[in-house]
Structures are given as C-alpha cells and as structure tokens.
Amino acid sequence: MYESVGTRAQGMGGAFVAVADDANASWWNPAGLATGAYFSTVLERATRVEPAEVPASGPAWKLGTGGVAMAFPALGLSYYRLRISELRPTPPTATGDPGREDQGAAGVDLRSRAISEFGATVGQSLGNHVVVASLLKLVRAGQVVSGGTATGEEALDGVADLDPSREIHGDLDMGIMVSVDRVRVGVSVKHLREPTFGDGADQFTLQRQARAGVAFLGGGTGGGAAITVAADADLTRTMTPFGEVRHVATGVEAWLLGRRLGLRGGLSANTVGETSTATSGGLSLGLQSGLFLDAAVTLGPDRSRQGWATAVRVTF
C-alpha cells in the first residue's frame, strides 16, 4: 500500500500525495520532487502489523520496510526494501454429506514477499503550475509459501525469515502535481507495467495502484506556525488478506519554533466492506540546521493496524 513508506506520511495518516516535498516523493508522487527543498535525503525504517492482536489462523499481515532516498529538484534516486508477510485461513478441503463428523480440517495460507526497488526519478515542468514526473525502477522480488505449524504473529515472523528465490523486472511509476498559490493537487500511479514474479504457488503480480490528494499549505513567518492540511483517496483497490481495501485519509502537519519542531496527526479508513480506521501521530525534531529526526506511530482498535516508523532526514 502507499502507506508502507514514509515516516512523515505515516504521521499524517497517509495523506501525502499532494504534499510529497521530501526525498520520499519518489514513493508517494514523483512530481513532488520539484516542490521541495533543493536537496533532501531520507534514511528510514518502519514496521506495521494488522490487526494489532494477530489471530492464530489469521487473517493478518505484517510489514517491515527500510529505505534510503535522495532528491534534487529534477532528479531523485531511491532504494526501498519491503518484507510483507500474510496469514490467511483456508477452508476445509474434505467434502461429504451434511452431518459427517470428519469434514476436513481448516488450514492456513502463510506466505511472505520480499521486494526491493531501485529507482531514478525525473520530472518536467509544464508552465508555472504543473509538474509531470516518472520513476523508472528495477524491482527485485520473490515470494515464499510456508506450511509451518506456528500460529499467530509467531508464524508471520517465522515466514519472514525464509529467503525466497527472486527475479528482476523493470517497472514505471508516474505522478503529476498542480500548484496554485497555496493549494496543491496530486495524482500518483504505481506499477504501470504490473510486473509478475515467480511461478506456480509462488507467483504474484504487483498490481497497478492509483491515488489522488489535495493539500493546503498555510503560511508561517518568523517563529510562527506553518500548517499543512491534506486529504488523500485511493482510486484503485488493493488486495490484502482481509479482501480488497481502498483507503481515504486526512492529515495535518504544523511546524513550530522556527521549524525546529514539527507535529503531525492523521486518520485513515478503509471504504470497502466493513469500515476500519486507524489514527496516526508523529513529530520531527530539528537537531541542527537542515537535520531532522522524524518519528511516527499508527494506533487503532485491536482489529486495526498498528506500527511505528523512524527516519533521519537532511534537507536544505
């Protein structure tokens, strides 16, 4: 999902497509590179699990990410590593007349995907208000399916330790950013080529995803607050162990004390099927000029997702 990467983005609940003004624009919206600082680099790590209390036989998933990204106004370089482990219940396999005692035992479908993306982002301005950009990337990925006896979060951790065979395919992301005064509108599309990896039971496809967002950038002078309010919505659905999901999100970011302290909050919800929500918060501490320590936490009820993210960010 889009929310997999970006500590600032996670702190805002995932409302970041129209913000995307640091090096992680390469993930959220490649066109955002032209709207940020002259130079930005981000080194981050995050983990997330859904639901917070993992049932013995699922459904559940666990995500671990790490990455580094570097950006200039017209060029971005990025590397992201994701490990996505899933636990799904499977129906009984035996059949028989109603009333038979042995109807077969339900099992679990336990699998883990390892994905690494190496990308280069380039963009082009169209007049004074529009930027179009693309992310050309090599994706190295593979999946492993396990039939172990572990259950719950222990099973997710165990399958994540297995090493799948991997393939390399080219892929392409696209983004557009429209800026008029303090208002930005962004649209981002990932996995345009929809690459497929593996074969047989280990086969999976990175399906095309699209997301749109709008942001209002409030002013701030001197030591006053600079506030950004944003909203995002998935334009496509993403398959998960719980079925298809499509997220909407709202978030706010406020910079205080001469941009030495940043505070964030956000709310996201799934609009497909049974509604589930998650709240997020985050902060940034300016350690010195241009150097920031970012952190974010995602919280929700037991059936929602929870996680954390940290990053070191340099910008000037």
Side-chain angles (χ1 to χ4, degrees):
M1 297 183 291
Y2 272 86
E3 297 92 337
S4 300
V5 169
T7 302
R8 285 180 62 211
Q10 291 181 29
M12 296 179 69
F16 207 67
V17 164
V19 180
D21 58 359
D22 62 25
N24 277 328
S26 56
W27 178 273
W28 279 89
N29 184 350
L33 290 183
T35 66
Y38 178 77
F39 173 80
S40 174
T41 186
V42 178
L43 175 65
E44 69 176 10
R45 181 176 177 83
T47 185
R48 184 172 292 190
V49 63
E50 183 177 4
E53 298 294 333
V54 178
S57 58
W61 61 264
K62 191 170 187 178
L63 167 71
T65 65
V68 58
M70 182 181 301
F72 295 90
L75 174 66
L77 300 174
S78 58
Y79 167 72
Y80 298 110
R81 183 183 68 252
L82 300 90
R83 192 65 187 250
I84 308 165
S85 301
E86 300 178 344
L87 179 63
R88 309 171 189 245
T90 59
T93 57
T95 61
D97 297 330
R100 284 189 57 181
E101 293 184 5
D102 184 10
Q103 292 290 317
V108 295
D109 178 12
L110 183 61
R111 61 188 62 209
S112 184
R113 297 172 181 173
I115 304 172
S116 299
E117 294 189 1
F118 306 82
T121 302
V122 293
Q124 176 65 49
S125 297
L126 304 178
N128 296 324
H129 303 290
V130 180
V131 177
V132 177
S134 60
L135 171 66
L136 306 174
K137 59 186 181 181
L138 292 177
V139 184
R140 182 172 180 262
Q143 177 173 259
V144 60
V145 178
S146 173
T149 59
T151 60
E153 192 165 355
E154 181 183 356
L156 292 176
D157 291 336
V159 73
D161 291 334
L162 302 179
D163 188 24
S165 59
R166 310 185 196 194
E167 301 174 359
I168 297 178
H169 294 287
D171 199 4
L172 176 67
D173 298 351
M174 296 288 294
I176 183 170
M177 187 80 80
V178 180
S179 303
V180 180
D181 294 328
R182 296 187 182 277
V183 177
R184 291 182 187 168
V185 177
V187 178
S188 175
V189 182
K190 301 178 75 67
H191 311 310
L192 279 169
R193 298 190 68 249
E194 295 192 318
T196 296
F197 301 86
D199 51 37
D202 293 334
Q203 186 179 89
F204 71 96
T205 299
L206 294 180
Q207 296 181 338
R208 191 172 298 121
Q209 297 172 285
R211 193 175 178 105
V214 60
F216 175 78
L217 284 63
T221 59
I227 299 177
T228 296
V229 180
D232 272 21
D234 284 335
L235 305 180
T236 55
R237 300 185 181 194
T238 301
M239 181 58 67
T240 75
F242 310 92
E244 292 183 325
V245 300
R246 183 177 57 208
H247 288 160
V248 295
T250 59
V252 61
E253 177 182 69
W255 285 97
L256 309 170
L257 304 178
R259 299 188 70 87
R260 296 189 66 86
L261 173 65
L263 300 176
R264 300 177 189 90
L267 175 68
S268 65
N270 174 33
T271 63
V272 178
E274 184 178 353
T275 301
S276 62
T277 61
T279 57
S280 301
L283 61 83
S284 292
L285 298 177
L287 304 181
Q288 61 183 47
S289 179
L291 176 62
F292 297 90
L293 176 62
D294 300 333
V297 61
T298 300
L299 300 172
D302 287 347
R303 297 182 63 184
S304 187
R305 62 186 184 273
Q306 295 193 18
W308 57 263
T310 59
V312 176
R313 179 166 49 90
V314 178
T315 180
F316 57 82

Coordinates of all heavy atoms in Angstrom, one line a residue, residues 57-102:
S57 N -5.0 -18.2 13.3 CA -5.1 -18.6 11.9 C -5.4 -17.4 11.0 O -5.7 -17.7 9.8 CB -6.1 -19.7 11.7 OG -7.4 -19.2 12.1
G58 N -5.2 -16.2 11.4 CA -5.4 -15.0 10.6 C -6.9 -14.7 10.5 O -7.7 -15.2 11.2
P59 N -7.2 -13.8 9.5 CA -6.3 -13.1 8.6 C -5.5 -12.0 9.3 O -5.9 -11.4 10.2 CB -7.3 -12.5 7.6 CG -8.5 -12.2 8.4 CD -8.6 -13.3 9.3
A60 N -4.2 -11.8 8.8 CA -3.3 -10.8 9.3 C -2.2 -10.6 8.4 O -1.9 -11.5 7.5 CB -2.8 -11.3 10.7
W61 N -1.5 -9.5 8.5 CA -0.3 -9.3 7.7 C 0.7 -8.4 8.6 O 0.3 -7.7 9.5 CB -0.6 -8.6 6.4 CG -1.2 -7.2 6.4 CD1 -2.5 -6.9 6.2 CD2 -0.5 -6.0 6.5 NE1 -2.7 -5.6 6.3 CE2 -1.5 -5.0 6.5 CE3 0.8 -5.6 6.7 CZ2 -1.2 -3.6 6.6 CZ3 1.1 -4.2 6.8 CH2 0.1 -3.3 6.8
K62 N 1.9 -8.6 8.2 CA 3.0 -7.8 8.9 C 3.9 -7.3 7.9 O 4.3 -8.0 7.0 CB 3.7 -8.7 10.0 CG 4.6 -7.9 10.9 CD 5.1 -8.8 12.0 CE 5.9 -8.0 13.0 NZ 6.4 -8.8 14.2
L63 N 4.3 -6.0 8.1 CA 5.2 -5.3 7.1 C 6.4 -4.8 7.8 O 6.3 -4.2 8.9 CB 4.4 -4.2 6.5 CG 5.2 -3.1 5.7 CD1 5.7 -3.7 4.4 CD2 4.3 -1.9 5.4
G64 N 7.6 -5.0 7.2 CA 8.8 -4.4 7.6 C 9.4 -3.7 6.4 O 9.5 -4.2 5.3
T65 N 9.8 -2.4 6.6 CA 10.4 -1.6 5.5 C 11.6 -0.9 5.9 O 11.8 -0.6 7.1 CB 9.4 -0.6 5.0 OG1 9.1 0.4 6.0 CG2 8.0 -1.2 4.6
G66 N 12.5 -0.7 5.0 CA 13.6 0.2 5.1 C 14.0 0.8 3.8 O 13.6 0.3 2.8
G67 N 14.6 2.0 3.9 CA 14.9 2.6 2.6 C 15.8 3.8 2.8 O 16.0 4.4 3.9
V68 N 16.3 4.2 1.7 CA 17.1 5.5 1.6 C 16.7 6.2 0.3 O 16.6 5.5 -0.8 CB 18.6 5.2 1.7 CG1 19.1 4.3 0.6 CG2 19.4 6.6 1.7
A69 N 16.5 7.5 0.3 CA 16.1 8.2 -0.9 C 16.9 9.5 -0.9 O 17.1 10.1 0.2 CB 14.6 8.4 -1.0
M70 N 17.2 10.0 -2.1 CA 17.9 11.3 -2.2 C 17.3 12.0 -3.4 O 17.0 11.4 -4.4 CB 19.4 11.0 -2.5 CG 20.3 12.2 -2.7 SD 22.0 11.8 -3.0 CE 22.4 10.8 -1.6
A71 N 17.1 13.3 -3.2 CA 16.4 14.1 -4.3 C 17.0 15.5 -4.5 O 17.3 16.2 -3.5 CB 15.0 14.2 -3.9
F72 N 17.1 15.9 -5.7 CA 17.3 17.2 -6.2 C 16.0 17.6 -6.9 O 15.1 16.8 -7.2 CB 18.5 17.3 -7.1 CG 19.8 17.0 -6.4 CD1 20.3 15.7 -6.4 CD2 20.5 18.0 -5.8 CE1 21.5 15.4 -5.8 CE2 21.7 17.7 -5.2 CZ 22.2 16.4 -5.2
P73 N 15.8 18.9 -7.3 CA 14.6 19.3 -7.9 C 14.2 18.5 -9.2 O 13.1 18.3 -9.5 CB 14.8 20.8 -8.2 CG 15.7 21.2 -7.2 CD 16.6 20.1 -7.0
A74 N 15.2 18.1 -10.0 CA 15.0 17.4 -11.2 C 15.4 16.0 -11.3 O 15.3 15.3 -12.3 CB 15.6 18.2 -12.4
L75 N 15.9 15.4 -10.2 CA 16.5 14.1 -10.1 C 16.3 13.5 -8.8 O 16.6 14.1 -7.8 CB 17.9 14.0 -10.6 CG 18.6 12.7 -10.5 CD1 18.0 11.7 -11.4 CD2 20.1 12.8 -10.7
G76 N 15.8 12.3 -8.7 CA 15.8 11.5 -7.4 C 16.3 10.1 -7.6 O 16.1 9.5 -8.6
L77 N 17.0 9.6 -6.6 CA 17.5 8.3 -6.5 C 16.9 7.6 -5.2 O 16.9 8.2 -4.2 CB 19.0 8.2 -6.5 CG 19.7 8.9 -7.7 CD1 21.2 8.9 -7.5 CD2 19.3 8.1 -9.0
S78 N 16.5 6.4 -5.3 CA 15.8 5.7 -4.2 C 16.1 4.2 -4.2 O 16.2 3.6 -5.2 CB 14.3 6.0 -4.2 OG 13.7 5.6 -5.4
Y79 N 16.1 3.7 -3.0 CA 16.1 2.3 -2.7 C 15.2 2.0 -1.6 O 15.3 2.5 -0.5 CB 17.5 1.8 -2.4 CG 17.5 0.4 -1.9 CD1 17.3 -0.7 -2.7 CD2 17.8 0.1 -0.5 CE1 17.3 -2.0 -2.2 CE2 17.8 -1.2 0.0 CZ 17.5 -2.2 -0.9 OH 17.5 -3.5 -0.4
Y80 N 14.2 1.1 -1.8 CA 13.3 0.7 -0.8 C 13.3 -0.9 -0.7 O 13.3 -1.5 -1.7 CB 11.8 1.2 -1.1 CG 11.7 2.7 -1.1 CD1 11.5 3.3 -2.3 CD2 11.9 3.4 0.1 CE1 11.4 4.7 -2.3 CE2 11.8 4.8 0.0 CZ 11.5 5.4 -1.2 OH 11.4 6.8 -1.2
R81 N 13.2 -1.4 0.5 CA 13.2 -2.8 0.8 C 11.9 -3.1 1.6 O 11.7 -2.5 2.7 CB 14.4 -3.2 1.5 CG 14.5 -4.7 1.8 CD 15.7 -5.1 2.5 NE 15.7 -4.6 3.9 CZ 16.4 -3.6 4.4 NH1 17.2 -3.0 3.6 NH2 16.3 -3.3 5.6
L82 N 11.1 -4.0 1.2 CA 9.9 -4.3 1.9 C 9.8 -5.8 2.1 O 10.1 -6.6 1.2 CB 8.6 -3.9 1.2 CG 8.5 -2.4 0.9 CD1 9.1 -2.0 -0.5 CD2 7.0 -2.0 0.8
R83 N 9.3 -6.2 3.3 CA 9.0 -7.6 3.6 C 7.6 -7.7 4.1 O 7.2 -7.2 5.2 CB 10.0 -8.2 4.6 CG 9.9 -9.8 4.7 CD 10.4 -10.4 3.4 NE 10.1 -11.8 3.4 CZ 11.2 -12.7 3.5 NH1 12.4 -12.3 3.5 NH2 10.9 -14.0 3.4
I84 N 6.7 -8.3 3.3 CA 5.3 -8.3 3.6 C 4.8 -9.8 3.8 O 4.9 -10.6 2.9 CB 4.4 -7.7 2.4 CG1 5.0 -6.4 2.0 CG2 3.0 -7.7 2.8 CD1 4.5 -5.9 0.7
S85 N 4.5 -10.1 5.0 CA 4.1 -11.5 5.4 C 2.6 -11.5 5.7 O 2.0 -10.6 6.3 CB 4.9 -12.0 6.6 OG 6.3 -11.9 6.4
E86 N 1.9 -12.6 5.2 CA 0.5 -12.7 5.2 C 0.1 -14.0 5.8 O 0.7 -15.1 5.5 CB -0.2 -12.5 3.9 CG 0.2 -11.2 3.2 CD -0.4 -11.0 1.8 OE1 -0.8 -12.1 1.2 OE2 -0.5 -9.9 1.3
L87 N -1.0 -14.0 6.6 CA -1.6 -15.2 7.2 C -3.1 -15.2 6.9 O -3.8 -14.3 7.3 CB -1.3 -15.2 8.7 CG -1.9 -16.3 9.5 CD1 -1.2 -17.7 9.1 CD2 -1.7 -16.1 11.0
R88 N -3.5 -16.2 6.1 CA -4.9 -16.3 5.7 C -5.5 -17.6 6.1 O -4.8 -18.7 5.9 CB -5.1 -16.1 4.2 CG -4.4 -14.9 3.6 CD -4.5 -15.0 2.1 NE -3.7 -14.0 1.4 CZ -4.2 -13.0 0.7 NH1 -5.5 -12.9 0.5 NH2 -3.4 -12.1 0.1
P89 N -6.7 -17.7 6.6 CA -7.3 -19.0 6.9 C -7.8 -19.6 5.6 O -8.2 -18.9 4.6 CB -8.5 -18.7 7.8 CG -8.8 -17.2 7.4 CD -7.5 -16.6 7.1
T90 N -7.7 -20.9 5.4 CA -8.1 -21.6 4.2 C -9.3 -22.5 4.6 O -9.4 -23.1 5.7 CB -7.0 -22.5 3.6 OG1 -6.6 -23.4 4.6 CG2 -5.9 -21.6 3.2
P91 N -10.3 -22.7 3.7 CA -11.5 -23.5 4.1 C -11.1 -25.0 4.1 O -10.1 -25.4 3.6 CB -12.4 -23.2 2.9 CG -11.5 -22.9 1.8 CD -10.3 -22.2 2.4
P92 N -12.0 -25.8 4.8 CA -11.8 -27.3 4.8 C -11.7 -27.8 3.4 O -12.4 -27.3 2.5 CB -13.0 -27.8 5.6 CG -13.4 -26.6 6.4 CD -13.1 -25.4 5.5
T93 N -10.9 -28.8 3.2 CA -10.7 -29.4 1.8 C -11.6 -30.7 1.6 O -11.8 -31.0 0.5 CB -9.2 -29.8 1.6 OG1 -8.8 -30.7 2.7 CG2 -8.4 -28.5 1.7
A94 N -12.0 -31.3 2.7 CA -12.8 -32.5 2.5 C -14.2 -32.2 2.3 O -14.7 -31.2 2.6 CB -12.6 -33.4 3.8
T95 N -14.9 -33.1 1.6 CA -16.3 -32.9 1.3 C -17.1 -34.1 1.8 O -16.5 -35.2 2.0 CB -16.6 -32.7 -0.2 OG1 -16.1 -33.9 -0.9 CG2 -15.8 -31.5 -0.7
G96 N -18.4 -34.0 1.9 CA -19.2 -35.1 2.4 C -20.6 -34.7 2.6 O -20.9 -33.5 2.5
D97 N -21.4 -35.7 3.0 CA -22.8 -35.4 3.3 C -22.9 -34.6 4.6 O -22.1 -34.7 5.5 CB -23.6 -36.6 3.4 CG -23.6 -37.4 2.1 OD1 -23.5 -36.7 1.0 OD2 -23.7 -38.6 2.1
P98 N -23.9 -33.7 4.7 CA -24.1 -33.0 5.9 C -24.2 -33.9 7.1 O -24.9 -35.0 7.0 CB -25.4 -32.2 5.7 CG -25.5 -32.0 4.2 CD -24.9 -33.3 3.6
G99 N -23.6 -33.6 8.2 CA -23.7 -34.4 9.4 C -22.5 -35.3 9.6 O -22.4 -35.9 10.6
R100 N -21.6 -35.4 8.5 CA -20.4 -36.2 8.7 C -19.5 -35.6 9.8 O -19.4 -34.4 9.8 CB -19.7 -36.4 7.4 CG -20.3 -37.4 6.5 CD -19.4 -37.7 5.3 NE -18.1 -38.2 5.7 CZ -17.1 -38.4 4.9 NH1 -17.3 -38.3 3.6 NH2 -16.0 -38.9 5.3
E101 N -18.9 -36.4 10.6 CA -18.1 -35.8 11.7 C -16.8 -35.3 11.1 O -16.3 -34.2 11.5 CB -17.7 -36.9 12.7 CG -19.0 -37.3 13.5 CD -18.6 -38.3 14.6 OE1 -17.4 -38.5 14.8 OE2 -19.5 -38.8 15.3
D102 N -16.2 -35.9 10.1 CA -14.9 -35.5 9.5 C -15.2 -34.7 8.2 O -15.4 -35.3 7.2 CB -14.0 -36.7 9.2 CG -12.7 -36.3 8.7 OD1 -12.4 -35.1 8.8 OD2 -11.9 -37.2 8.2

